[in-house]
Coordinates of all heavy atoms in Angstrom, one line a residue:
M1 N 98.3 -25.7 35.1 CA 97.8 -26.9 35.6 C 97.4 -26.9 37.1 O 96.6 -27.7 37.5 CB 98.9 -28.0 35.5 CG 99.1 -28.5 34.1 SD 97.5 -29.0 33.5 CE 97.9 -30.5 32.8
K2 N 97.8 -25.9 37.8 CA 97.4 -25.7 39.2 C 95.9 -25.5 39.3 O 95.3 -25.9 40.3 CB 98.2 -24.5 39.8 CG 99.5 -24.9 40.3 CD 99.3 -25.5 41.7 CE 100.6 -25.4 42.4 NZ 100.7 -26.3 43.5
I3 N 95.3 -24.8 38.3 CA 93.9 -24.4 38.4 C 93.1 -25.7 38.3 O 92.1 -25.9 39.1 CB 93.5 -23.4 37.3 CG1 94.3 -22.1 37.5 CG2 92.0 -23.2 37.3 CD1 94.1 -21.2 36.4
I4 N 93.4 -26.6 37.4 CA 92.6 -27.8 37.2 C 92.7 -28.7 38.4 O 91.7 -29.3 38.9 CB 93.1 -28.5 36.0 CG1 92.8 -27.7 34.7 CG2 92.4 -29.9 35.8 CD1 93.3 -28.3 33.4
E5 N 93.8 -28.8 39.1 CA 94.0 -29.6 40.3 C 93.3 -29.1 41.5 O 92.9 -29.8 42.3 CB 95.5 -29.8 40.6 CG 96.3 -30.5 39.5 CD 97.8 -30.5 39.8 OE1 98.2 -30.0 40.8 OE2 98.5 -31.1 39.0
S6 N 93.1 -27.7 41.5 CA 92.4 -27.2 42.7 C 90.9 -27.2 42.6 O 90.2 -27.0 43.6 CB 92.9 -25.7 42.9 OG 92.4 -24.9 41.8
L7 N 90.3 -27.5 41.5 CA 88.9 -27.6 41.3 C 88.4 -28.9 42.0 O 88.9 -29.9 41.9 CB 88.5 -27.7 39.9 CG 88.7 -26.4 39.0 CD1 88.3 -26.6 37.6 CD2 87.8 -25.3 39.6
K8 N 87.3 -28.7 42.8 CA 86.7 -29.8 43.5 C 85.6 -30.4 42.6 O 85.0 -29.7 41.8 CB 86.0 -29.3 44.8 CG 87.0 -28.8 45.8 CD 86.3 -28.4 47.0 CE 87.3 -27.8 48.0 NZ 86.6 -27.3 49.2
P9 N 85.3 -31.7 42.7 CA 84.3 -32.3 41.9 C 82.9 -31.7 42.3 O 82.7 -31.2 43.4 CB 84.4 -33.7 42.2 CG 85.1 -33.9 43.5 CD 86.0 -32.7 43.6
F10 N 82.0 -31.7 41.4 CA 80.6 -31.2 41.7 C 80.0 -32.1 42.8 O 80.0 -33.3 42.7 CB 79.8 -31.4 40.4 CG 78.5 -30.6 40.5 CD1 78.5 -29.2 40.4 CD2 77.3 -31.3 40.6 CE1 77.3 -28.5 40.5 CE2 76.1 -30.6 40.7 CZ 76.1 -29.2 40.6
P11 N 79.5 -31.4 43.8 CA 79.0 -32.2 45.0 C 77.7 -33.0 44.6 O 76.8 -32.5 44.0 CB 78.7 -31.1 46.0 CG 79.0 -29.8 45.4 CD 79.5 -30.0 44.0
L12 N 77.7 -34.2 45.0 CA 76.6 -35.1 44.7 C 75.3 -34.6 45.5 O 74.2 -34.7 44.9 CB 76.9 -36.5 45.2 CG 75.9 -37.6 44.9 CD1 75.6 -37.7 43.4 CD2 76.3 -38.9 45.5
R13 N 75.5 -34.0 46.6 CA 74.4 -33.5 47.4 C 73.6 -32.4 46.6 O 72.4 -32.4 46.6 CB 74.9 -33.0 48.7 CG 73.7 -32.7 49.7 CD 74.2 -32.2 51.0 NE 75.6 -32.7 51.3 CZ 76.3 -32.2 52.3 NH1 75.9 -31.3 53.1 NH2 77.5 -32.7 52.5
T14 N 74.4 -31.5 46.0 CA 73.7 -30.5 45.2 C 73.0 -31.0 44.0 O 71.9 -30.6 43.7 CB 74.8 -29.5 44.7 OG1 75.5 -29.0 45.8 CG2 74.2 -28.3 43.9
L15 N 73.6 -32.0 43.4 CA 72.9 -32.7 42.2 C 71.6 -33.4 42.7 O 70.6 -33.3 42.0 CB 73.8 -33.7 41.6 CG 73.3 -34.5 40.4 CD1 73.1 -33.5 39.2 CD2 74.3 -35.5 40.0
M16 N 71.6 -34.0 43.8 CA 70.4 -34.7 44.4 C 69.3 -33.6 44.7 O 68.1 -33.9 44.4 CB 70.8 -35.5 45.6 CG 71.6 -36.8 45.2 SD 72.1 -37.7 46.6 CE 70.6 -38.1 47.4
V17 N 69.7 -32.5 45.3 CA 68.7 -31.5 45.6 C 68.1 -30.9 44.3 O 66.9 -30.7 44.3 CB 69.4 -30.4 46.5 CG1 68.5 -29.1 46.6 CG2 69.8 -30.9 47.8
C18 N 68.9 -30.6 43.3 CA 68.4 -30.1 42.1 C 67.5 -31.1 41.4 O 66.4 -30.7 40.9 CB 69.6 -29.7 41.1 SG 70.5 -28.3 41.7
F19 N 67.8 -32.3 41.4 CA 67.0 -33.3 40.8 C 65.6 -33.5 41.5 O 64.6 -33.6 40.9 CB 67.7 -34.7 40.8 CG 66.9 -35.8 40.2 CD1 66.6 -35.9 38.8 CD2 66.3 -36.8 41.0 CE1 65.8 -36.9 38.3 CE2 65.5 -37.8 40.5 CZ 65.3 -37.8 39.2
T20 N 65.7 -33.4 42.9 CA 64.5 -33.5 43.7 C 63.5 -32.3 43.4 O 62.3 -32.5 43.2 CB 64.8 -33.6 45.2 OG1 65.7 -34.7 45.4 CG2 63.6 -33.7 46.0
I21 N 64.1 -31.1 43.3 CA 63.3 -29.9 43.0 C 62.7 -30.1 41.6 O 61.5 -29.8 41.4 CB 64.1 -28.7 43.1 CG1 64.5 -28.4 44.6 CG2 63.4 -27.5 42.5 CD1 65.5 -27.3 44.8
W22 N 63.5 -30.5 40.6 CA 63.0 -30.7 39.3 C 61.8 -31.7 39.2 O 60.8 -31.6 38.6 CB 64.1 -31.2 38.3 CG 63.6 -31.5 37.0 CD1 63.4 -30.7 36.0 CD2 63.3 -32.9 36.5 NE1 62.9 -31.4 34.9 CE2 62.9 -32.7 35.2 CE3 63.4 -34.1 37.1 CZ2 62.6 -33.8 34.4 CZ3 63.1 -35.2 36.3 CH2 62.6 -35.1 35.0
L23 N 62.0 -32.8 40.0 CA 61.0 -33.9 40.0 C 59.7 -33.4 40.6 O 58.6 -33.7 40.1 CB 61.5 -35.1 40.8 CG 60.8 -36.4 40.7 CD1 60.8 -36.9 39.3 CD2 61.4 -37.4 41.6
I24 N 59.8 -32.6 41.7 CA 58.6 -32.1 42.3 C 57.9 -31.1 41.4 O 56.6 -31.1 41.3 CB 58.9 -31.5 43.7 CG1 59.3 -32.5 44.7 CG2 57.8 -30.6 44.2 CD1 59.9 -32.0 46.0
A25 N 58.6 -30.2 40.8 CA 58.0 -29.3 39.9 C 57.4 -29.9 38.7 O 56.3 -29.6 38.3 CB 59.1 -28.3 39.4
T26 N 58.0 -31.0 38.1 CA 57.4 -31.7 37.0 C 56.1 -32.4 37.4 O 55.1 -32.4 36.7 CB 58.4 -32.8 36.5 OG1 59.6 -32.1 36.1 CG2 57.8 -33.5 35.3
E27 N 56.1 -33.0 38.6 CA 54.9 -33.6 39.1 C 53.8 -32.6 39.3 O 52.6 -32.9 39.0 CB 55.2 -34.3 40.5 CG 54.1 -35.2 41.0 CD 54.5 -35.9 42.3 OE1 55.7 -36.1 42.5 OE2 53.6 -36.3 43.0
I28 N 54.1 -31.5 39.8 CA 53.0 -30.4 40.0 C 52.5 -30.0 38.7 O 51.2 -29.9 38.5 CB 53.6 -29.2 40.8 CG1 53.9 -29.6 42.2 CG2 52.7 -28.0 40.7 CD1 54.7 -28.5 43.0
L29 N 53.3 -29.9 37.7 CA 52.8 -29.5 36.3 C 52.0 -30.5 35.7 O 50.9 -30.2 35.1 CB 54.0 -29.2 35.4 CG 54.8 -27.9 35.7 CD1 56.0 -27.8 34.9 CD2 53.9 -26.7 35.5
V30 N 52.3 -31.8 35.9 CA 51.5 -32.9 35.3 C 50.2 -33.0 36.0 O 49.1 -33.1 35.3 CB 52.3 -34.2 35.5 CG1 51.4 -35.4 35.2 CG2 53.5 -34.3 34.5
F31 N 50.1 -32.9 37.3 CA 48.8 -33.0 38.0 C 48.0 -31.7 37.7 O 46.7 -31.8 37.6 CB 49.0 -33.1 39.5 CG 49.4 -34.5 39.9 CD1 50.5 -34.8 40.6 CD2 48.6 -35.6 39.5 CE1 50.9 -36.1 41.0 CE2 48.9 -36.9 39.8 CZ 50.1 -37.1 40.6
D32 N 48.6 -30.6 37.6 CA 47.9 -29.3 37.2 C 47.2 -29.5 35.8 O 46.1 -29.1 35.6 CB 48.8 -28.1 37.3 CG 48.0 -26.8 37.1 OD1 47.0 -26.7 37.8 OD2 48.5 -26.0 36.3
Q33 N 48.0 -30.0 34.9 CA 47.4 -30.2 33.5 C 46.3 -31.2 33.5 O 45.3 -31.0 32.9 CB 48.6 -30.7 32.6 CG 48.1 -30.9 31.2 CD 47.7 -29.6 30.5 OE1 48.4 -28.6 30.7 NE2 46.7 -29.5 29.7
A34 N 46.4 -32.3 34.3 CA 45.3 -33.3 34.4 C 44.1 -32.7 35.0 O 43.0 -32.9 34.6 CB 45.8 -34.5 35.3
R35 N 44.3 -31.8 36.1 CA 43.1 -31.2 36.7 C 42.5 -30.2 35.7 O 41.2 -30.1 35.6 CB 43.6 -30.4 37.9 CG 42.4 -30.0 38.8 CD 42.9 -29.3 40.0 NE 43.3 -28.0 39.6 CZ 44.2 -27.2 40.3 NH1 44.7 -27.7 41.4 NH2 44.6 -26.1 39.9
F36 N 43.3 -29.5 34.9 CA 42.8 -28.5 33.9 C 42.0 -29.3 32.9 O 40.9 -28.8 32.5 CB 43.9 -27.8 33.3 CG 43.5 -26.9 32.2 CD1 43.0 -25.6 32.4 CD2 43.6 -27.3 30.8 CE1 42.5 -24.8 31.4 CE2 43.2 -26.5 29.8 CZ 42.7 -25.2 30.1
N37 N 42.5 -30.4 32.4 CA 41.7 -31.2 31.4 C 40.4 -31.7 31.9 O 39.4 -31.7 31.2 CB 42.6 -32.4 30.9 CG 43.8 -31.9 30.1 OD1 43.8 -30.8 29.6 ND2 44.7 -32.8 29.9
A38 N 40.4 -32.1 33.2 CA 39.1 -32.6 33.8 C 38.1 -31.4 33.9 O 36.9 -31.6 33.6 CB 39.4 -33.2 35.2
N39 N 38.6 -30.3 34.3 CA 37.7 -29.1 34.4 C 37.2 -28.7 33.0 O 36.0 -28.3 32.9 CB 38.4 -27.9 35.1 CG 38.6 -28.1 36.6 OD1 37.9 -28.9 37.2 ND2 39.5 -27.4 37.1
A40 N 38.0 -28.7 32.0 CA 37.6 -28.4 30.7 C 36.5 -29.4 30.2 O 35.5 -29.0 29.6 CB 38.8 -28.4 29.7
E41 N 36.7 -30.6 30.5 CA 35.7 -31.6 30.1 C 34.4 -31.4 30.8 O 33.3 -31.5 30.2 CB 36.2 -33.0 30.4 CG 35.3 -34.1 30.0 CD 35.0 -34.2 28.5 OE1 35.9 -33.9 27.7 OE2 33.9 -34.6 28.1
L42 N 34.4 -31.1 32.1 CA 33.2 -30.8 32.8 C 32.5 -29.5 32.2 O 31.2 -29.5 32.1 CB 33.5 -30.6 34.3 CG 33.8 -31.9 35.1 CD1 34.3 -31.5 36.5 CD2 32.7 -32.8 35.1
L43 N 33.2 -28.5 31.9 CA 32.6 -27.3 31.3 C 32.0 -27.6 29.9 O 30.9 -27.1 29.6 CB 33.7 -26.2 31.1 CG 34.1 -25.5 32.4 CD1 35.3 -24.6 32.1 CD2 32.9 -24.7 33.0
Q44 N 32.6 -28.5 29.2 CA 32.0 -28.9 27.9 C 30.8 -29.6 28.1 O 29.8 -29.4 27.4 CB 33.0 -29.7 27.1 CG 34.2 -28.9 26.5 CD 35.2 -29.7 25.7 OE1 35.1 -31.0 25.8 NE2 36.1 -29.1 25.1
Q45 N 30.7 -30.5 29.0 CA 29.5 -31.3 29.3 C 28.4 -30.4 29.8 O 27.2 -30.5 29.4 CB 29.8 -32.4 30.4 CG 30.6 -33.5 29.9 CD 30.9 -34.5 31.0 OE1 30.5 -34.3 32.2 NE2 31.6 -35.6 30.7
A46 N 28.7 -29.4 30.6 CA 27.7 -28.4 31.1 C 27.2 -27.6 29.9 O 26.0 -27.3 29.9 CB 28.3 -27.6 32.2
A47 N 28.1 -27.2 29.1 CA 27.7 -26.4 27.9 C 26.7 -27.2 27.0 O 25.8 -26.6 26.5 CB 28.9 -25.9 27.1
R48 N 27.1 -28.5 26.8 CA 26.2 -29.3 26.0 C 24.8 -29.5 26.6 O 23.8 -29.5 26.0 CB 26.8 -30.7 25.7 CG 27.9 -30.6 24.6 CD 28.3 -32.0 24.3 NE 28.9 -32.7 25.4 CZ 30.2 -33.0 25.5 NH1 31.0 -32.8 24.5 NH2 30.7 -33.6 26.6
A49 N 24.8 -29.6 28.0 CA 23.5 -29.8 28.7 C 22.7 -28.5 28.6 O 21.5 -28.6 28.5 CB 23.8 -30.2 30.1
L50 N 23.3 -27.4 28.7 CA 22.6 -26.1 28.6 C 22.0 -25.7 27.2 O 21.1 -25.0 27.1 CB 23.4 -25.0 29.1 CG 23.8 -25.0 30.6 CD1 24.7 -23.9 31.0 CD2 22.5 -24.9 31.5
R51 N 22.8 -26.2 26.2 CA 22.3 -25.9 24.9 C 21.0 -26.7 24.6 O 20.8 -27.8 24.9 CB 23.4 -26.4 23.9 CG 23.9 -25.3 23.0 CD 24.8 -25.8 22.0 NE 26.1 -26.2 22.6 CZ 27.0 -27.0 22.1 NH1 26.8 -27.5 20.9 NH2 28.0 -27.4 22.7
G52 N 20.1 -26.0 23.9 CA 18.8 -26.6 23.6 C 19.0 -27.5 22.4 O 20.1 -27.8 22.0
P53 N 17.9 -28.0 21.9 CA 17.9 -28.9 20.8 C 18.5 -28.1 19.6 O 18.2 -27.0 19.4 CB 16.5 -29.3 20.5 CG 15.7 -28.3 21.3 CD 16.5 -27.8 22.4
E54 N 19.3 -28.8 18.8 CA 19.9 -28.2 17.6 C 18.9 -27.9 16.6 O 17.9 -28.6 16.4 CB 20.9 -29.2 17.1 CG 22.1 -29.6 18.0 CD 23.1 -28.5 18.1 OE1 23.3 -27.7 17.1 OE2 23.7 -28.3 19.2
V55 N 19.1 -26.8 15.9 CA 18.2 -26.4 14.8 C 18.7 -27.0 13.5 O 19.9 -26.8 13.2 CB 18.1 -24.9 14.7 CG1 17.2 -24.5 13.5 CG2 17.5 -24.3 16.0
L56 N 17.9 -27.8 12.8 CA 18.3 -28.4 11.6 C 17.8 -27.6 10.4 O 16.7 -27.2 10.3 CB 17.7 -29.8 11.5 CG 18.2 -30.8 12.5 CD1 17.5 -32.2 12.4 CD2 19.7 -31.0 12.5
V57 N 18.7 -27.3 9.5 CA 18.4 -26.5 8.3 C 18.3 -27.5 7.2 O 19.3 -28.1 6.9 CB 19.4 -25.4 8.0 CG1 19.1 -24.6 6.8 CG2 19.5 -24.5 9.2
P58 N 17.2 -27.6 6.5 CA 17.1 -28.5 5.4 C 17.9 -28.0 4.2 O 18.1 -26.9 4.0 CB 15.6 -28.5 5.0 CG 15.1 -27.2 5.6 CD 15.9 -26.9 6.8
S59 N 18.5 -29.0 3.5 CA 19.4 -28.7 2.4 C 18.6 -28.6 1.1 O 19.0 -28.0 0.1 CB 20.5 -29.7 2.2 OG 19.9 -31.0 2.1
E60 N 17.4 -29.1 1.1 CA 16.5 -29.1 -0.1 C 15.1 -28.6 0.2 O 14.7 -28.7 1.4 CB 16.4 -30.5 -0.8 CG 17.7 -31.1 -1.2 CD 17.5 -32.5 -1.8 OE1 16.4 -32.9 -1.9 OE2 18.6 -33.1 -2.1
R61 N 14.5 -28.0 -0.8 CA 13.1 -27.6 -0.5 C 12.2 -28.8 -0.4 O 12.4 -29.8 -1.1 CB 12.6 -26.8 -1.7 CG 13.2 -25.4 -1.8 CD 12.6 -24.6 -2.9 NE 13.0 -23.2 -2.8 CZ 12.4 -22.2 -3.3 NH1 11.3 -22.4 -4.0 NH2 12.8 -21.0 -3.1
P62 N 11.1 -28.7 0.4 CA 10.2 -29.8 0.4 C 9.4 -30.0 -0.9 O 9.2 -29.0 -1.6 CB 9.3 -29.5 1.6 CG 9.5 -28.0 1.8 CD 10.8 -27.7 1.3
A63 N 9.0 -31.2 -1.2 CA 8.4 -31.4 -2.5 C 7.0 -30.7 -2.5 O 6.6 -30.2 -3.5 CB 8.2 -32.9 -2.7
H64 N 6.3 -30.7 -1.4 CA 4.9 -30.1 -1.3 C 4.9 -29.2 -0.1 O 4.5 -29.6 0.9 CB 3.8 -31.2 -1.2 CG 3.9 -32.2 -2.3 ND1 3.5 -31.9 -3.6 CD2 4.3 -33.5 -2.3 CE1 3.6 -33.0 -4.3 NE2 4.1 -34.0 -3.6
P65 N 5.3 -27.9 -0.3 CA 5.3 -27.0 0.8 C 3.8 -26.6 1.2 O 2.9 -26.6 0.3 CB 6.0 -25.8 0.3 CG 5.9 -25.8 -1.2 CD 5.8 -27.3 -1.5
Q66 N 3.6 -26.3 2.4 CA 2.3 -25.9 2.9 C 2.0 -24.5 2.3 O 2.8 -23.7 2.0 CB 2.2 -25.9 4.4 CG 2.5 -27.2 5.1 CD 2.6 -27.0 6.6 OE1 2.5 -26.0 7.1 NE2 2.8 -28.2 7.2
S67 N 0.7 -24.2 2.1 CA 0.3 -23.0 1.5 C 0.6 -21.8 2.3 O 0.8 -20.7 1.8 CB -1.2 -23.1 1.1 OG -1.9 -23.2 2.2
D68 N 0.5 -21.9 3.7 CA 0.7 -20.7 4.5 C 2.2 -20.5 4.9 O 2.5 -19.5 5.6 CB -0.2 -20.8 5.8 CG 0.2 -22.1 6.6 OD1 0.9 -23.0 6.0 OD2 -0.2 -22.1 7.8
V69 N 3.1 -21.3 4.4 CA 4.5 -21.1 4.7 C 5.2 -20.3 3.6 O 5.0 -20.5 2.4 CB 5.2 -22.5 4.8 CG1 6.7 -22.4 5.0 CG2 4.6 -23.3 5.9
R70 N 6.0 -19.3 4.1 CA 6.7 -18.5 3.1 C 8.2 -19.0 3.1 O 8.8 -19.1 4.1 CB 6.7 -17.0 3.6 CG 6.4 -16.1 2.5 CD 6.3 -14.7 3.0 NE 7.6 -14.1 3.1 CZ 7.8 -12.9 3.5 NH1 6.8 -12.1 4.0 NH2 9.0 -12.4 3.4
M71 N 8.7 -19.2 1.9 CA 10.1 -19.7 1.7 C 11.0 -18.5 1.5 O 10.6 -17.6 0.8 CB 10.2 -20.6 0.5 CG 9.3 -21.9 0.7 SD 10.0 -22.9 2.0 CE 10.9 -24.0 1.0
Q72 N 12.1 -18.5 2.1 CA 13.1 -17.5 1.9 C 14.4 -18.2 1.5 O 14.8 -19.2 2.0 CB 13.4 -16.7 3.2 CG 12.2 -15.9 3.6 CD 12.6 -15.1 4.9 OE1 13.6 -15.2 5.4 NE2 11.6 -14.2 5.3
Q73 N 15.1 -17.5 0.6 CA 16.4 -18.0 0.2 C 17.5 -17.5 1.1 O 17.5 -16.4 1.4 CB 16.7 -17.6 -1.3 CG 17.9 -18.3 -1.8 CD 17.9 -18.3 -3.3 OE1 16.9 -18.0 -3.9 NE2 19.0 -18.8 -3.9
L74 N 18.4 -18.5 1.5 CA 19.4 -18.1 2.4 C 20.6 -17.7 1.6 O 21.0 -18.2 0.6 CB 19.8 -19.3 3.3 CG 18.7 -19.7 4.2 CD1 19.1 -21.0 5.0 CD2 18.3 -18.6 5.2

């Protein structure tokens, strides 16, 4: 029983320091994720702007193809 009586309670100051460090690290991670998402969105917008017009592939043959056009089966 002597061992239990000699233990000191956990210092409140240490708990406050650990909580503060955890809070700052969490805030840094949240803002870093938000910045990453914003950069990813800007990159996607730039990629869409650089891409030319989309090529459309018809799903059916035209009813009256022109005589000088050669059709190939995909």
Side-chain angles (χ1 to χ4, degrees):
M1 282 307 225
K2 275 277 201 204
I3 297 173
I4 293 175
E5 292 173 3
S6 67
L7 290 177
K8 295 180 182 179
F10 193 74
L12 182 62
R13 192 178 333 169
T14 303
L15 183 64
M16 290 174 61
V17 168
C18 290
F19 178 74
T20 304
I21 291 171
W22 173 81
L23 193 62
I24 291 170
T26 303
E27 187 175 340
I28 289 171
L29 289 174
V30 167
F31 283 124
D32 187 49
Q33 184 66 40
R35 194 180 73 204
F36 175 80
N37 290 345
N39 286 343
E41 180 64 31
L42 288 174
L43 284 173
Q44 287 177 352
Q45 287 177 359
R48 281 191 296 249
L50 290 176
R51 240 184 289 162
E54 299 283 330
V55 176
L56 299 176
V57 178
S59 59
E60 298 179 7
R61 288 184 169 201
H64 303 288
Q66 298 173 359
S67 60
D68 59 344
V69 175
R70 225 174 89 179
M71 299 291 264
Q72 294 182 354
Q73 186 157 354
L74 297 176

